[in-house]
């Protein structure tokens, strides 16, 4: 949903930054890799130690790199299938580390088992959501680009929830509820994509 409503605004906002990075010699692929490595390190280090505020702020910086690489490719005229493949593949590493860092932290807390399972459920359903679309497109169907919880939505929700839990000291139960609601929304998205592809297949016969 965020992809539909915010993409144009964000693109206008970051285009000057993308041009500046190109001028200093960075390529879109370099920015993709920097963003992924930074996100993974910050998530696994800060989140696993319960440093939710600093972790989220650091991750947010590197998430910007994930937005910049595509804009840089368009501005420089270097968009390619390889760049799209690299970006999508490395995105999965970043997502895994964000939720993985939370799993590592909450599995070490005496009352954190349910929260850890919620983070793990988000990770699993998030991967299936992405796979459903990729597999459908690989088969030549485009209907799997629907859903109430796309990647951008999931990432924004988990980062904001983690930040505010750390900033205001909210009880872990609040975070647990948010994670399980996010997991449920991701599961619904998987179902939506499966049904959409099923209908598209039936219509193409």
């Amino acid at each position: 949903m965020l992809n539909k409503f915010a993409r144009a605004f964000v693109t206008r906002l970051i285009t000057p930054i993308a041009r500046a990075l190109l001028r200093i010699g960075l390529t879109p692929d370099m920015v993709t890799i920097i963003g992924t490595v930074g996100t993974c390190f910050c998530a696994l280090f800060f989140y696993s130690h319960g440093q939710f505020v600093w972790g989220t702020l650091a991750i947010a910086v590197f998430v910007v790199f994930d937005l910049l690489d595509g804009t840089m490719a368009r501005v420089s005229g270097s968009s390619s299938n390889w760049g799209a493949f690299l970006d999508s593949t490395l995105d999965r590493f970043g997502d895994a580390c964000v939720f993985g860092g939370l799993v590592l932290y909450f599995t070490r807390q005496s009352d954190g088992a349910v929260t850890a399972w919620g983070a793990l459920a988000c990770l699993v359903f998030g991967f299936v959501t992405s796979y459903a679309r990729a597999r459908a497109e690989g088969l030549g169907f485009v209907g799997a680009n629907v859903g109430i919880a796309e990647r951008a939505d999931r990432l924004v929700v988990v980062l904001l929830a983690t930040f505010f839990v750390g900033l205001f000291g909210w009880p872990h139960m609040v975070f647990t509820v948010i994670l399980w609601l996010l997991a449920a929304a991701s599961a619904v998205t998987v179902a939506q994509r499966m049904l959409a592809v099923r209908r598209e297949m039936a219509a193409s016969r």
Side-chain angles (χ1 to χ4, degrees), residues 42-43 45-50 52 55-56 59 98 101-102 105 159 162:
C42 292
F45 178 79
F46 289 109
Y47 280 3
S48 66
H49 289 86
F52 294 157
T56 302
I59 291 169
V98 167
L102 295 173
Y105 174 75
L159 290 179
T162 306

Side-chain angles (χ1 to χ4, degrees), residues 59-81:
I59 291 169
V61 171
F62 288 105
V63 166
V64 173
F65 281 78
D66 185 48
L67 302 173
L68 283 167
D69 53 5
T71 303
M72 290 172 66
R74 287 190 292 273
V75 167
S76 63
S78 59
S79 298
S80 66
N81 289 334

Side-chain angles (χ1 to χ4, degrees), residues 84-143:
F85 172 78
L86 179 68
D87 183 50
S88 296
T89 301
L90 294 188
D91 279 348
R92 306 288 82 77
F93 281 103
D95 294 351
C97 288
V98 167
F99 289 106
L102 295 173
V103 171
L104 288 173
Y105 174 75
F106 284 106
T107 52
R108 295 199 297 265
Q109 308 306 306
S110 59
D111 59 345
V114 177
T115 313
W117 278 105
L120 183 60
C122 288
L123 192 158
V124 171
F125 282 119
F127 270 72
V128 177
T129 299
S130 298
Y131 177 79
R133 178 172 179 173
R135 182 57 176 155
E137 291 176 348
L139 293 171
F141 299 98
V142 297

